[in-house]
């Protein structure tokens, strides 16, 4: 059974004439008759019966006409969807943000533009730490993720920069400063209790911070550790010490945490959209092209 046979049958059944149908379909009448006979052989029942004025569907043909029209409509829809999918205009995307990231304008703006250009694409957004994102992307459980600290030498992944955030000095708002002079440089933090992150949490980022501190002549006096920015800010809020965090996290901080920009704290956190190199759908390519 072929789609063209279904189309031939529906035209014949609606017109009630093989000769008229042959003219509309631009096919020779004997060839059309053979196709209808072949269709009846494939289905195993008589679909059309001859009358004095032409042909009309049998009971089986009446039911078959209903189903054939549905199949033809589905075929048209399937073709349209395939074409849209080839242009990245339909399908689904499974994306992720880190747990601490709260609707960064660069990301929400990108998703808003994408939805406007590809309204038929469904998006599922997860909140996962960067390490879990990378594992799920590698396993094919996520299409891509907005994250930090992609392993630069891992050939499995690819990525494109999305936005950058400057780093800020965070401290308890209740702290007072000698002669009311707030710190201006990293070295001014030398004698302060510092809240640090363990190197295992983000090795590459930890090492970049260490190099930045070293170049500035600052050796942090680590008194406590937090596993992420939220836990570090919680310790700052409790008066346990000060720390360095990305600017975007200030909106997650308790109200009794204050922030300063230091003149020689020139590090930036670089956010990327990361995906698996050999698993980049047309939908994902369309999103990437908009960054």
């Amino acid at each position: 059974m072929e789609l063209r046979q279904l189309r031939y049958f529906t035209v014949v059944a609606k017109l009630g004439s093989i000769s008229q149908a042959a003219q509309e379909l631009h096919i020779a009448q004997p060839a059309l008759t053979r196709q209808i006979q072949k269709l009846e052989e494939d289905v195993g029942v008589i679909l059309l019966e001859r009358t004095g004025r032409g042909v009309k569907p049998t009971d089986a043909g009446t039911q078959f006409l209903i189903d054939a029209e549905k199949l033809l409509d589905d075929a048209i829809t399937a073709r349209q969807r395939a074409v849209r999918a080839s242009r990245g205009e339909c399908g689904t995307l499974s994306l992720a943000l880190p747990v601490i990231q709260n609707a960064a304008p660069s990301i929400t703006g990108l998703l808003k533009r994408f939805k406007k250009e590809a309204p038929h694409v469904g998006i599922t957004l997860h909140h996962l730490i960067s390490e879990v994102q990378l594992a799920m992307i590698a396993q094919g459980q996520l299409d891509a993720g907005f994250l930090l600290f992609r392993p630069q030498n891992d050939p499995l992944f690819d990525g494109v920069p999305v936005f950058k955030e400057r780093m800020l000095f965070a401290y308890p708002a209740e702290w007072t400063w000698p002669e009311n002079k707030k710190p201006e440089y990293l070295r001014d933090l030398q004698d302060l209790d510092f809240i640090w992150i363990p190197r295992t949490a983000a090795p590459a980022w930890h090492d970049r911070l260490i190099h930045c501190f070293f170049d500035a002549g600052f050796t942090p006096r680590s008194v406590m550790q937090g596993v992420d920015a939220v836990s570090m800010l919680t310790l700052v809020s409790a008066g346990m010490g000060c720390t360095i965090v990305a600017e975007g996290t200030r909106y997650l901080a308790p109200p009794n945490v204050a922030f300063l920009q230091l003149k020689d704290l020139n590090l930036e956190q670089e956010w990327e959209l990361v995906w698996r190199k050999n698993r980049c759908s047309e939908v994902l390519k369309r999103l990437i092209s908009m960054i």
Side-chain angles (χ1 to χ4, degrees):
M1 187 188 308
E2 301 176 7
L3 285 177
R4 63 170 181 162
Q5 292 174 334
L6 299 182
R7 185 163 62 91
Y8 292 166
F9 169 75
T10 59
V11 174
V12 172
K14 288 180 179 180
L15 293 178
S17 168
I18 291 181
S19 60
Q20 290 182 28
Q23 292 178 6
E24 181 164 322
L25 293 168
H26 304 290
I27 183 175
Q29 183 172 334
L32 178 57
T33 299
R34 287 195 298 272
Q35 289 297 324
I36 295 299
Q37 291 172 343
K38 180 67 168 57
L39 177 63
E40 289 178 325
E41 291 174 5
D42 291 341
V43 176
V45 295
I46 300 299
L47 300 174
L48 296 169
E49 62 181 357
R50 292 189 176 275
T51 66
R53 296 182 178 179
V55 295
K56 70 174 184 177
T58 61
D59 289 344
T62 300
Q63 180 59 53
F64 190 78
L65 176 62
I66 296 172
D67 294 333
E69 288 182 317
K70 289 180 180 178
L71 287 171
L72 291 169
D73 287 342
D74 287 345
I76 293 172
T77 300
R79 180 185 179 278
Q80 292 171 342
R81 287 178 177 173
V83 171
R84 288 201 300 267
S86 72
R87 297 196 294 251
E89 296 176 356
C90 70
T92 60
L93 271 181
S94 180
L95 304 174
L97 284 171
V99 176
I100 64 170
Q101 186 61 34
N102 186 27
S106 298
I107 294 177
T108 55
L110 171 63
L111 295 179
K112 184 176 181 179
R113 296 196 310 274
F114 180 75
K115 189 62 178 176
K116 185 177 181 180
E117 287 201 13
H120 300 292
V121 174
I123 296 177
T124 302
L125 191 62
H126 308 266
H127 278 269
L128 302 165
I129 63 174
S130 294
E131 291 78 6
V132 174
Q133 286 192 47
L134 287 170
M136 293 182 67
I137 293 170
Q139 295 165 9
Q141 297 173 312
L142 274 179
D143 293 311
F146 296 96
L147 53 84
L148 296 163
F149 321 132
R150 170 172 65 96
Q152 296 298 315
N153 297 324
D154 192 330
L156 187 63
F157 301 107
D158 203 352
V160 59
V162 179
F163 70 100
K164 296 179 180 181
E165 282 188 303
R166 64 181 180 177
M167 305 302 294
L168 298 178
F169 167 57
Y171 63 96
E174 63 195 34
W175 277 9
T176 58
W177 308 100
E179 300 179 5
N180 203 31
K181 293 181 62 176
K182 294 180 179 179
E184 295 184 4
Y185 299 92
L186 282 167
R187 62 176 180 269
D188 297 334
L189 313 182
Q190 191 67 48
D191 297 323
L192 300 178
D193 291 339
F194 197 81
I195 297 166
W196 197 222
I197 57 171
R199 187 176 186 277
T200 54
W205 178 246
H206 182 280
D207 292 348
R208 285 184 63 189
L209 280 172
I210 286 292
H211 285 298
C212 177
F213 293 168
F214 180 80
D215 291 341
F218 168 54
T219 303
R221 188 174 73 190
S222 178
V223 294
M224 289 199 176
Q225 291 187 336
V227 296
D228 54 33
V230 173
S231 62
M232 292 163 68
L233 288 172
T234 300
L235 292 172
V236 172
S237 174
M240 300 295 183
C242 59
T243 192
I244 301 295
V245 292
E247 184 176 21
T249 62
R250 68 187 306 169
Y251 306 107
L252 305 174
N256 63 335
V257 175
F259 295 88
L260 279 177
Q261 184 177 4
L262 302 179
K263 293 180 179 180
D264 56 350
L265 183 55
N266 51 21
L267 273 184
E268 291 179 318
Q269 279 195 346
E270 300 167 351
W271 291 85
E272 288 186 299
L273 178 65
V274 177
W275 63 92
R276 183 168 170 166
K277 281 185 178 179
N278 63 353
R279 193 175 181 272
C280 188
S281 67
E282 294 301 323
V283 174
L284 181 54
K285 289 178 183 177
R286 189 178 182 89
L287 176 64
I288 294 168
S289 71
M290 297 177 64
I291 296 174

